[in-house]
Coordinates of all heavy atoms in Angstrom, one line a residue:
V6 N 108.5 156.3 -32.3 CA 108.4 154.9 -32.7 C 107.0 154.6 -33.1 O 106.0 154.8 -32.4 CB 108.8 154.0 -31.5 CG1 108.6 152.5 -31.9 CG2 110.2 154.2 -31.1
I7 N 106.8 154.3 -34.4 CA 105.5 154.1 -35.0 C 105.1 152.6 -34.9 O 105.9 151.7 -35.4 CB 105.4 154.5 -36.4 CG1 106.0 155.9 -36.7 CG2 103.9 154.5 -36.9 CD1 105.3 157.0 -36.1
G8 N 104.1 152.2 -34.2 CA 103.7 150.8 -34.0 C 104.2 150.4 -32.6 O 105.4 150.4 -32.3
S9 N 103.2 150.2 -31.7 CA 103.5 149.8 -30.3 C 103.2 148.4 -30.0 O 102.6 148.1 -29.0 CB 102.8 150.8 -29.4 OG 103.2 152.1 -29.7
G10 N 103.6 147.5 -30.9 CA 103.5 146.1 -30.7 C 104.7 145.5 -30.0 O 105.4 146.3 -29.3
N11 N 105.0 144.3 -30.3 CA 106.2 143.7 -29.6 C 107.5 144.4 -29.9 O 108.2 144.8 -29.0 CB 106.3 142.2 -30.1 CG 105.3 141.3 -29.4 OD1 104.8 141.6 -28.3 ND2 105.0 140.2 -30.1
V12 N 107.8 144.7 -31.2 CA 109.0 145.4 -31.5 C 109.0 146.8 -31.1 O 110.0 147.3 -30.5 CB 109.3 145.3 -33.1 CG1 110.5 146.1 -33.4 CG2 109.4 143.9 -33.5
G13 N 107.9 147.5 -31.3 CA 107.8 148.9 -30.9 C 108.1 149.1 -29.4 O 108.9 150.0 -29.0
C14 N 107.4 148.3 -28.6 CA 107.5 148.5 -27.2 C 108.9 148.1 -26.6 O 109.5 148.8 -25.8 CB 106.5 147.6 -26.4 SG 104.9 148.3 -26.6
A15 N 109.5 147.0 -27.1 CA 110.8 146.6 -26.7 C 111.8 147.7 -27.1 O 112.8 148.0 -26.4 CB 111.2 145.3 -27.3
T16 N 111.6 148.3 -28.3 CA 112.4 149.4 -28.7 C 112.3 150.6 -27.8 O 113.4 151.2 -27.5 CB 112.1 149.7 -30.2 OG1 112.3 148.6 -31.0 CG2 112.9 150.9 -30.7
V17 N 111.1 151.0 -27.5 CA 110.9 152.2 -26.6 C 111.6 151.9 -25.3 O 112.4 152.8 -24.8 CB 109.4 152.5 -26.4 CG1 109.2 153.5 -25.3 CG2 108.8 152.9 -27.7
Q18 N 111.5 150.7 -24.7 CA 112.1 150.4 -23.5 C 113.6 150.6 -23.6 O 114.3 151.1 -22.8 CB 111.7 149.0 -23.1 CG 112.5 148.5 -21.9 CD 111.7 148.7 -20.6 OE1 110.7 148.2 -20.4 NE2 112.3 149.5 -19.7
R19 N 114.2 150.0 -24.7 CA 115.6 150.0 -24.9 C 116.1 151.5 -25.1 O 117.2 151.9 -24.5 CB 115.9 149.2 -26.2 CG 117.4 149.1 -26.5 CD 118.1 148.2 -25.6 NE 119.6 148.3 -25.7 CZ 120.4 148.7 -24.7 NH1 120.0 148.9 -23.5 NH2 121.7 148.8 -24.9
I20 N 115.4 152.3 -25.9 CA 115.8 153.7 -26.1 C 115.7 154.5 -24.8 O 116.6 155.3 -24.5 CB 115.0 154.3 -27.2 CG1 115.3 153.7 -28.6 CG2 115.2 155.8 -27.3 CD1 114.4 154.1 -29.7
M30 N 105.6 157.3 -28.8 CA 105.2 156.0 -29.4 C 103.7 156.1 -29.8 O 102.9 156.6 -29.1 CB 105.5 154.8 -28.4 CG 104.8 154.9 -27.1 SD 105.5 153.7 -25.9 CE 105.0 152.1 -26.6
T31 N 103.5 155.5 -31.0 CA 102.1 155.6 -31.5 C 101.6 154.2 -31.9 O 102.4 153.3 -32.1 CB 102.0 156.5 -32.8 OG1 102.5 155.8 -33.9 CG2 102.8 157.8 -32.7
D32 N 100.3 154.1 -32.1 CA 99.8 152.9 -32.6 C 98.4 153.2 -33.3 O 97.8 154.1 -32.8 CB 99.6 151.8 -31.5 CG 99.5 150.4 -32.1 OD1 98.4 150.0 -32.5 OD2 100.6 149.7 -32.3
K41 N 100.7 151.3 -23.1 CA 102.1 150.7 -23.0 C 103.1 151.8 -22.6 O 104.0 151.5 -21.9 CB 102.4 150.1 -24.4 CG 101.6 148.8 -24.6 CD 101.9 148.0 -25.8 CE 101.1 146.8 -26.0 NZ 101.4 146.0 -27.2
I45 N 105.7 151.6 -19.4 CA 107.1 151.8 -19.5 C 107.6 152.9 -18.6 O 108.6 152.8 -17.9 CB 107.6 152.0 -21.0 CG1 107.3 150.8 -21.8 CG2 109.1 152.3 -21.1 CD1 107.4 150.9 -23.3
V74 N 111.3 155.6 -36.1 CA 111.4 154.1 -36.3 C 110.1 153.6 -36.7 O 109.1 153.8 -36.0 CB 111.9 153.4 -34.9 CG1 111.9 151.9 -35.1 CG2 113.2 153.9 -34.5
I75 N 110.0 152.9 -37.8 CA 108.7 152.3 -38.2 C 108.7 150.8 -37.9 O 109.3 150.0 -38.5 CB 108.5 152.4 -39.8 CG1 108.7 153.9 -40.2 CG2 107.1 151.9 -40.1 CD1 108.5 154.1 -41.7
A76 N 107.9 150.6 -36.8 CA 107.7 149.2 -36.4 C 106.2 148.8 -36.5 O 105.8 147.9 -35.8 CB 108.2 149.0 -34.9
A77 N 105.5 149.5 -37.3 CA 104.1 149.2 -37.5 C 104.0 148.2 -38.6 O 104.7 148.2 -39.6 CB 103.4 150.5 -38.0
G78 N 103.0 147.3 -38.4 CA 102.8 146.3 -39.5 C 102.5 144.9 -38.9 O 102.6 144.7 -37.7
V79 N 102.2 144.1 -39.8 CA 101.8 142.7 -39.4 C 103.1 141.9 -39.3 O 104.0 142.0 -40.2 CB 100.8 142.1 -40.5 CG1 100.5 140.7 -40.1 CG2 99.6 143.0 -40.5
A80 N 103.2 141.0 -38.3 CA 104.3 140.1 -38.2 C 103.9 138.7 -38.7 O 102.7 138.4 -38.7 CB 104.7 140.0 -36.7
R81 N 104.8 138.0 -39.1 CA 104.4 136.6 -39.7 C 104.1 135.6 -38.6 O 104.6 135.8 -37.4 CB 105.5 136.1 -40.7 CG 106.8 135.8 -40.0 CD 107.7 135.2 -41.1 NE 109.1 135.3 -40.7 CZ 110.0 134.3 -41.0 NH1 109.6 133.3 -41.7 NH2 111.2 134.4 -40.6
I115 N 114.2 154.9 -39.8 CA 114.6 153.5 -39.8 C 113.4 152.6 -39.9 O 112.6 152.6 -39.0 CB 115.4 153.2 -38.5 CG1 116.5 154.2 -38.2 CG2 115.9 151.7 -38.5 CD1 117.2 154.0 -36.9
T116 N 113.4 151.9 -41.0 CA 112.3 150.9 -41.2 C 112.6 149.6 -40.6 O 113.7 149.1 -40.8 CB 112.0 150.8 -42.7 OG1 111.7 152.1 -43.3 CG2 110.8 149.9 -43.0
V117 N 111.6 149.0 -40.0 CA 111.8 147.7 -39.4 C 110.8 146.6 -40.0 O 111.0 145.4 -40.0 CB 111.6 147.7 -37.8 CG1 111.9 146.4 -37.2 CG2 112.6 148.8 -37.3
T118 N 109.7 147.1 -40.5 CA 108.6 146.3 -41.0 C 109.1 145.4 -42.1 O 109.9 145.8 -43.0 CB 107.5 147.3 -41.5 OG1 107.2 148.2 -40.5 CG2 106.3 146.5 -41.9
N119 N 108.6 144.2 -42.1 CA 108.9 143.2 -43.1 C 107.9 143.1 -44.2 O 106.8 143.5 -44.1 CB 109.0 141.8 -42.4 CG 110.3 141.4 -41.9 OD1 111.3 141.7 -42.5 ND2 110.3 140.9 -40.7
L121 N 111.7 143.3 -45.1 CA 112.5 144.5 -44.7 C 113.0 145.4 -45.8 O 112.8 146.6 -45.9 CB 113.6 144.1 -43.7 CG 114.4 145.2 -43.0 CD1 115.6 145.6 -43.8 CD2 113.5 146.3 -42.5
M142 N 116.6 148.3 -40.6 CA 117.3 147.5 -39.6 C 117.2 146.0 -40.0 O 116.1 145.5 -40.1 CB 116.7 147.7 -38.2 CG 117.5 147.0 -37.1 SD 117.5 145.2 -37.0 CE 115.8 144.9 -36.5
L146 N 120.9 142.8 -36.7 CA 120.2 141.6 -36.1 C 120.8 140.3 -36.6 O 121.2 139.4 -35.8 CB 118.7 141.7 -36.4 CG 117.9 140.5 -36.0 CD1 117.9 140.3 -34.5 CD2 116.5 140.6 -36.5
R150 N 122.9 137.6 -34.4 CA 122.5 136.1 -34.3 C 123.7 135.2 -34.6 O 123.9 134.3 -33.9 CB 121.3 135.9 -35.2 CG 120.0 136.4 -34.7 CD 118.9 136.4 -35.7 NE 117.6 136.6 -35.1 CZ 116.5 136.9 -35.7 NH1 116.6 137.0 -37.0 NH2 115.4 137.1 -35.1
H174 N 117.4 140.6 -46.0 CA 116.9 140.0 -44.7 C 115.9 138.9 -45.0 O 114.7 139.1 -44.9 CB 116.3 141.1 -43.8 CG 115.9 140.6 -42.5 ND1 116.7 140.0 -41.6 CD2 114.6 140.7 -41.9 CE1 116.0 139.7 -40.5 NE2 114.8 140.1 -40.7
L219 N 107.1 130.6 -31.3 CA 106.1 131.5 -30.8 C 104.7 131.2 -31.4 O 103.7 131.5 -30.8 CB 106.5 132.9 -31.1 CG 107.8 133.5 -30.5 CD1 108.0 134.9 -30.8 CD2 107.8 133.3 -28.9
G222 N 103.7 135.0 -33.7 CA 104.4 136.3 -33.9 C 105.9 136.0 -34.1 O 106.3 134.9 -34.2
S223 N 106.7 137.1 -34.1 CA 108.1 136.9 -34.4 C 108.9 137.6 -33.3 O 108.4 138.2 -32.3 CB 108.4 137.4 -35.8 OG 107.9 138.7 -36.0
S224 N 110.2 137.6 -33.5 CA 111.2 138.0 -32.5 C 111.0 139.5 -32.2 O 110.5 140.3 -33.0 CB 112.6 137.9 -33.1 OG 112.8 138.8 -34.2
F225 N 111.5 139.9 -31.0 CA 111.5 141.4 -30.7 C 112.6 141.9 -29.8 O 113.0 143.0 -29.9 CB 110.1 141.9 -30.2 CG 109.5 141.0 -29.2 CD1 109.6 141.4 -27.8 CD2 108.8 139.9 -29.5 CE1 108.9 140.7 -26.8 CE2 108.2 139.1 -28.5 CZ 108.3 139.5 -27.2
F226 N 113.2 141.0 -29.0 CA 114.2 141.5 -28.1 C 115.5 141.9 -28.8 O 116.0 143.0 -28.7 CB 114.5 140.5 -27.0 CG 113.4 140.3 -26.0 CD1 112.7 139.1 -25.9 CD2 113.0 141.4 -25.2 CE1 111.6 139.0 -24.9 CE2 112.0 141.3 -24.2 CZ 111.3 140.1 -24.1
A227 N 116.0 140.9 -29.6 CA 117.2 141.2 -30.4 C 117.0 142.3 -31.4 O 117.8 143.2 -31.5 CB 117.8 139.9 -31.0
P228 N 115.8 142.3 -32.1 CA 115.6 143.4 -33.0 C 115.6 144.8 -32.3 O 116.2 145.8 -32.7 CB 114.2 143.2 -33.6 CG 114.0 141.7 -33.5 CD 114.8 141.2 -32.3
A229 N 115.0 144.8 -31.1 CA 115.0 146.1 -30.3 C 116.4 146.5 -29.9 O 116.7 147.7 -30.0 CB 114.1 146.0 -29.1
A230 N 117.2 145.6 -29.6 CA 118.6 145.9 -29.2 C 119.3 146.5 -30.4 O 120.1 147.5 -30.2 CB 119.3 144.6 -28.7
A231 N 119.1 145.9 -31.6 CA 119.8 146.4 -32.8 C 119.3 147.8 -33.1 O 120.1 148.7 -33.4 CB 119.6 145.5 -33.9
I232 N 118.0 148.0 -33.0 CA 117.4 149.3 -33.3 C 118.0 150.4 -32.4 O 118.4 151.5 -32.8 CB 115.9 149.3 -33.3 CG1 115.3 148.3 -34.3 CG2 115.3 150.7 -33.5 CD1 113.8 147.9 -34.0
G233 N 118.0 150.0 -31.1 CA 118.5 150.9 -30.1 C 120.0 151.4 -30.4 O 120.3 152.6 -30.3

Side-chain angles (χ1 to χ4, degrees):
V6 177
I7 314 289
S9 300
N11 284 336
V12 174
C14 284
T16 299
V17 170
Q18 172 93 64
R19 182 75 194 121
I20 292 172
M30 57 192 293
T31 77
D32 201 273
K41 291 185 177 178
I45 297 171
V74 175
I75 306 181
V79 178
R81 65 179 163 141
I115 306 175
T116 303
V117 182
T118 309
N119 270 318
L121 190 272
M142 188 288 291
L146 170 65
R150 285 171 167 163
H174 181 58
L219 298 185
S223 51
S224 69
F225 47 100
F226 290 114
I232 299 162

